[in-house]
Amino acid sequence: MHTANGPDNISNLFIKNTKDTLLIPLHYIYNYSLLHGVYPEQWKYSPWTPLHKKGSIYKRENYRPISLCNNLSKILDKIVFRTLYNFLEKHELFNKYNYGFERKSSCEHNLSMLLHNVYNNLDKNCDSIILFLDVVKAFDKVDHKILLYKLNYMGKDFIVFKWFINYLCNRFSRCVIHGYESEKYPIQTSVIQGSVLATLLWSIISNPYIFADDTALVEKIERDDIHNAFNVIQFDIDQLLDWAKNKIYYI
């Protein structure tokens, strides 16, 4: 079992070895949180460390922030994750063409659908223009107000909505590198990359257009009408950017 400590210095190994003693107090804390729509303030602090993703190690844009959350909070987050995911799945609130972070789905399904569209166009004696797009720093720019609006729109009851309001508000973080710490600062955007709920919350706010943090625009074109096809794909790009500004991002 992974034994890394969270900000509260409580490791997974400690929780495992003392589970019989912790069972009753944790049961009370988790039930109180879920029944009253509150999230413990001590669990809202999550320092992060930069993880190199690609390219030069000397450029900060090549790093992603990975939050270090309290291990006790992760248990509560998993309970909420499973409950919310099952609700969304039961009521078919996930778009069937969005394969990111969903059970029994993968990038292979996404690629199969893409190839299917391309081959269909070829059967009609048409070509395809495909534009692949990647959302830069996707998890870090999520607007909390838009996310809460979507959660409320999906029809969960008031206590669940109140819980997420409390979960997202008054969060703080700081950067930690090799023991050196920045000043603590408030988190006003983001789904807390590295947290249990991050991928599910991103799926909710990006639904129905984006697979994980990227997407593809496919346009069928007549072989003698290339110029118009570029105009159409540009229109699609403009529409997607407008949607992102109004439905996902804090800009």
Side-chain angles (χ1 to χ4, degrees):
M1 174 177 283
H2 183 54
T3 58
N5 297 354
D8 57 6
N9 209 33
I10 298 177
S11 69
N12 281 327
L13 183 60
F14 173 82
I15 296 172
K16 179 182 179 181
N17 292 337
T18 59
K19 60 182 183 296
D20 293 334
T21 304
L22 292 175
L23 181 61
I24 293 178
L26 287 181
H27 182 268
Y28 174 82
I29 292 171
Y30 296 157
N31 270 343
Y32 188 92
S33 173
L34 297 171
L35 290 173
H36 294 83
V38 295
Y39 196 81
E41 293 294 324
Q42 294 86 344
W43 292 350
K44 293 184 180 182
Y45 169 63
S46 51
W48 61 273
T49 187
L51 178 67
H52 183 248
K53 184 178 179 181
K54 62 180 180 180
S56 172
I57 62 173
Y58 301 106
K59 294 182 178 180
R60 65 179 183 178
E61 59 265 27
N62 293 335
Y63 291 81
R64 67 170 60 172
I66 300 298
S67 298
L68 181 62
C69 302
N70 293 302
N71 290 317
L72 291 175
S73 72
K74 292 179 182 179
I75 301 173
L76 175 59
D77 294 355
K78 286 180 180 178
I79 295 171
V80 174
F81 180 100
R82 290 172 183 171
T83 303
L84 181 57
Y85 189 100
N86 290 338
F87 172 85
L88 297 173
E89 192 173 51
K90 177 181 178 181
H91 294 278
E92 299 181 346
L93 293 174
F94 287 123
N95 186 288
K96 64 180 180 179
Y97 298 120
N98 188 340
Y99 302 106
F101 308 125
E102 295 188 34
R103 294 171 186 163
K104 301 179 181 178
S105 296
S106 67
C107 58
E108 284 82 4
H109 293 90
N110 194 35
L111 290 172
S112 296
M113 184 184 71
L114 180 64
L115 289 173
H116 176 74
N117 289 334
V118 171
Y119 287 137
N120 273 347
N121 292 341
L122 289 173
D123 289 340
K124 298 173 183 177
N125 202 32
C126 294
D127 290 325
S128 301
I129 290 180
I130 306 175
L131 184 64
F132 294 96
L133 303 172
D134 181 68
V135 183
V136 178
K137 307 294 183 185
F139 283 26
D140 305 327
K141 299 179 181 179
V142 169
D143 189 319
H144 289 172
K145 291 181 181 179
I146 296 175
L147 175 58
L148 289 170
Y149 171 81
K150 283 204 167 187
L151 285 166
N152 187 47
Y153 179 78
M154 286 180 168
K156 289 301 287 179
D157 60 45
F158 174 74
I159 292 299
V160 175
F161 181 62
K162 181 183 176 184
W163 188 92
F164 274 104
I165 292 176
N166 204 268
Y167 171 81
L168 291 169
C169 74
N170 298 325
R171 299 195 75 104
F172 289 86
S173 187
R174 61 159 47 102
C175 178
V176 179
I177 304 177
H178 302 306
Y180 294 94
E181 299 180 345
S182 69
E183 294 294 324
K184 189 183 291 187
Y185 62 88
I187 301 175
Q188 298 176 330
T189 62
S190 164
V191 289
I192 322 301
Q193 188 164 186
S195 66
V196 173
L197 287 166
T199 56
L200 181 57
L201 294 178
W202 170 254
S203 294
I204 289 171
I205 201 167
S206 64
N207 190 46
Y209 296 110
I210 297 178
F211 169 82
D213 60 353
D214 51 66
T215 191
L217 298 178
V218 184
E219 189 66 42
K220 181 178 72 173
I221 61 171
E222 302 293 337
R223 293 181 176 175
D224 57 352
D225 196 18
I226 297 294
H227 179 73
N228 183 60
F230 282 112
N231 291 334
V232 172
I233 205 75
Q234 184 61 55
F235 176 80
D236 290 343
I237 294 171
D238 294 339
Q239 291 290 101
L240 184 60
L241 288 175
D242 183 65
W243 170 79
K245 290 177 182 179
N246 291 284
K247 301 299 183 183
I248 298 182
Y249 284 156
Y250 174 85
I251 297 178

